[in-house]
Amino acid sequence: MGKIKANVRQLVDQLAAQGIAISGVTKATLGAPLYGKALLAAGIGTLADSRIENIETMRAANIDAHISLIRAPMLSQVARVVRFADMSLNSEMAIIVALNHAAIAQDKLHEILLMVELGDLREGIMPADLQKIVGQVLRLSHIKLCGIGTNLACRNGVVPDARNMGQLSELADAIEKTYQINLPIISGGNSSNLTWALGPEGKGRINHLRLGEAILLGREPLRRQPIEGLHIDAIELVAETIESKIKPRQPTGEIAEAAFGHVATGQRSGTICQSILALGHADTDPDGLLPPDDMKILGASSDHLVIDGGGHRLPIGTEVHFQLNYSALIRAMASPFVAKTYEDTALYLSHQI
Ligand SMILES: *Cc1c(COP(=O)(O)O)cnc(C)c1O
């Protein structure tokens, strides 16, 4: 995982120069302990995941670093959250009260960040309601309010910028003034914050980001551009050829919907040398795969990926290596049919168990 570690080291250093610390987000790897340990070894101080199950996986592998749950806890899981996560991101008083009860029962102090809605319309307290909720949180005996945070770009693609980041800083200042407290963590967002965070503008109070995609794929998610200096090929999906034949380009017969809705369009004449790889919608998002330069993805069903092998017949058994976008990556990581091999240089996702 040398390329992933190199990505971590560069991001840690560049953001430290801006006064920003990183939590390494492990959810795309389902909390793979090897991945969590690699992030920590490369210089990340704290980890974060959206699912308590993944945090439990890392705890079972003796990872004792500070870990945050970055999706609001489910009421039905608060006891597990208090037991295995040091901190959680919250936006509902009913859940925070339940966390407090669980923390009392376990004689623990549970840390929280309050999430603020700044325009993307996913999770977060409306800014006008924030002060009142802080007051309610401060009355809970076993909850420690460590700061505030926000999440942009994930639902509506709202871009982190001087305006919304400035708003988060102002909210932090206002809370500290009203309640005479210190908020040590102001968490500006996810990988989509990197363009702003590494840019020239002042960072205000923002001193923390939660990064997943940028570390794994080396790209910022807003425009999917490579980030200078980062490896974009740290992960490969490897699929095996199970059929290679010359076939007509044009299907024969009356055409209705295909298994995944795509309808073949246009008249296509002649023949093509097409290959089938043992990979499909059940394993990944075929639309998020980037094949080698000379190859083209022609179609996919649940278990078959049909490709144009670049004019020549791929021998049966040939392994084809793809790059993945985030959608393809998280589905491949979650598929029991895809083996995950963490090697020195890269992370390989393949059929070989
Ligand atoms: C997934 C997630 C992140 C990490 O997002 P990336 O784009 O992978 O960096 C950060 N914060 C929250 C709340 C998330 O759900």
Side-chain angles (χ1 to χ4, degrees):
M1 270 184 292
K3 289 176 179 172
I4 288 172
K5 286 184 176 171
N7 286 356
V8 170
R9 280 190 292 270
Q10 175 175 326
L11 288 167
V12 166
D13 289 349
Q14 285 183 330
L15 288 168
Q18 303 283 351
I20 294 175
I22 303 175
S23 284
V25 176
T26 49
K27 67 188 181 199
T29 67
L30 311 187
L34 278 171
Y35 182 64
K37 287 177 183 173
L39 295 181
L40 295 167
I44 276 191
T46 60
L47 301 177
D49 202 288
S50 52
R51 298 185 188 249
I52 193 63
E53 294 82 354
N54 296 342
I55 294 175
E56 288 169 355
T57 300
M58 292 189 281
R59 292 299 190 214
N62 295 319
I63 294 180
D64 59 5
H66 187 284
I67 309 183
S68 298
L69 180 70
I70 56 176
R71 184 175 71 183
M74 292 184 226
L75 275 182
S76 55
Q77 295 186 333
V78 287
R80 291 162 72 183
V81 173
V82 167
R83 190 168 307 282
F84 296 108
D86 301 285
M87 184 160 88
S88 58
L89 275 45
N90 285 274
S91 56
E92 287 289 354
M93 217 42 226
I95 297 173
I96 300 169
V97 167
L99 287 166
N100 188 51
H101 287 309
I104 292 169
Q106 294 176 35
D107 194 19
K108 278 181 121 175
L109 196 60
H110 184 71
E111 302 171 351
I112 67 166
L113 297 185
L114 287 177
M115 294 299 277
V116 189
E117 169 60 57
L118 290 180
D120 197 49
L121 307 181
R122 203 180 73 175
E123 76 272 37
I125 298 161
M126 293 302 288
D129 300 330
L130 188 59
Q131 291 264 6
K132 193 181 83 198
I133 290 181
V134 169
Q136 293 169 5
V137 167
L138 293 176
R139 286 197 284 277
L140 301 174
S141 60
H142 287 59
I143 297 293
K144 183 177 177 195
L145 178 64
C146 289
I148 60 175
T150 195
N151 195 75
L152 297 173
C154 280
R155 183 187 158 200
N156 280 304
V158 170
V159 176
D161 59 15
R163 194 190 57 81
N164 45 42
M165 290 296 103
Q167 207 182 344
L168 192 62
S169 290
E170 282 167 23
L171 288 166
D173 288 341
I175 291 167
E176 290 184 342
K177 196 154 162 257
T178 305
Y179 293 101
Q180 295 296 304
I181 54 171
N182 174 39
L183 298 176
I185 304 174
I186 310 300
S187 189
N190 53 49
S191 294
S192 64
N193 279 67
L194 280 170
T195 308
W196 171 82
L198 297 174
E201 287 157 351
K203 298 296 157 296
R205 295 288 309 272
I206 312 305
N207 61 7
H208 180 259
L209 292 180
R210 312 169 302 270
L211 299 185
E213 178 170 352
I215 293 170
L216 288 161
L217 299 178
R219 293 172 189 270
E220 57 80 27
L222 293 173
R223 296 181 178 84
R224 299 251 132 78
Q225 291 303 309
I227 298 168
E228 206 184 319
L230 296 191
H231 297 281
I232 57 169
D233 58 350
I235 306 177
E236 284 183 355
L237 178 64
V238 185
E240 190 174 315
T241 307
I242 54 172
E243 184 188 294
S244 279
K245 294 192 188 305
I246 294 169
K247 297 200 177 183
R249 286 183 187 273
Q250 180 68 19
T252 314
E254 188 194 343
I255 305 294
E257 277 206 8
F260 285 82
H262 298 297
V263 179
T265 51
Q267 274 299 121
R268 291 161 297 176
S269 58
T271 59
I272 186 169
C273 183
Q274 72 167 47
S275 295
I276 298 177
L277 308 183
L279 185 76
H281 283 273
D283 308 291
T284 189
D285 174 5
D287 294 330
L289 296 178
L290 184 67
D293 276 346
D294 55 336
M295 298 187 190
K296 219 173 115 202
I297 295 173
L298 301 173
S301 56
S302 36
D303 312 292
H304 296 78
L305 190 74
V306 182
I307 66 164
D308 172 350
H312 52 90
R313 196 186 293 224
L314 291 182
I316 301 307
T318 301
E319 290 185 337
V320 179
H321 291 235
F322 295 88
Q323 283 188 27
L324 312 85
N325 73 8
Y326 193 67
S327 168
L329 172 66
I330 57 171
R331 277 173 54 184
M333 291 301 298
S335 168
F337 304 107
V338 176
K340 294 90 187 170
T341 318
Y342 293 83
E343 297 206 346
D344 283 351
T345 48
L347 161 56
Y348 292 100
L349 308 177
S350 69
H351 48 88
Q352 291 164 344
I353 310 277

